[in-house]
Amino acid sequence: LRRSQLFVPANEEKKIRKSTSLPADSIVFDLEDAIPPESKSQARETLGALLKELDLLLYTSDAADDLTR
């Protein structure tokens, strides 16, 4: 049962780190709408590295599929 979802832009490391300490039921890392086109590649790299470092469980959709490889 998910009561709350926190949407976080994936190009902002500080917000990604902080999101893991907040009481949301799930976190959605946005790699699309919240990211300027010129920052999408860097956002994928940043999020991929932080997912490994923070040992987060990841469910992927669309563009995020290449983060787990």
Side-chain angles (χ1 to χ4, degrees):
L1 172 66
R2 282 184 275 167
R3 297 167 299 227
S4 64
Q5 291 185 306
L6 177 62
F7 285 77
V8 179
N11 64 333
E12 298 191 37
E13 181 177 342
K14 183 177 177 181
K15 290 181 181 179
I16 294 170
R17 289 183 181 281
K18 182 174 181 173
S19 71
T20 63
S21 68
L22 299 174
D25 291 318
S26 62
I27 304 168
V28 177
F29 298 111
D30 191 345
L31 288 164
E32 297 296 327
D33 296 334
I35 311 300
E38 64 275 5
S39 300
K40 289 183 189 276
S41 178
Q42 181 62 40
R44 286 184 179 91
E45 291 177 22
T46 298
L47 182 58
L50 288 173
L51 288 173
K52 291 175 186 172
E53 177 188 328
L54 300 172
D55 195 30
L56 297 175
L57 178 61
L58 174 68
Y59 292 96
T60 64
S61 173
D62 298 330
D65 287 343
D66 62 335
L67 290 174
T68 58
R69 293 184 187 144

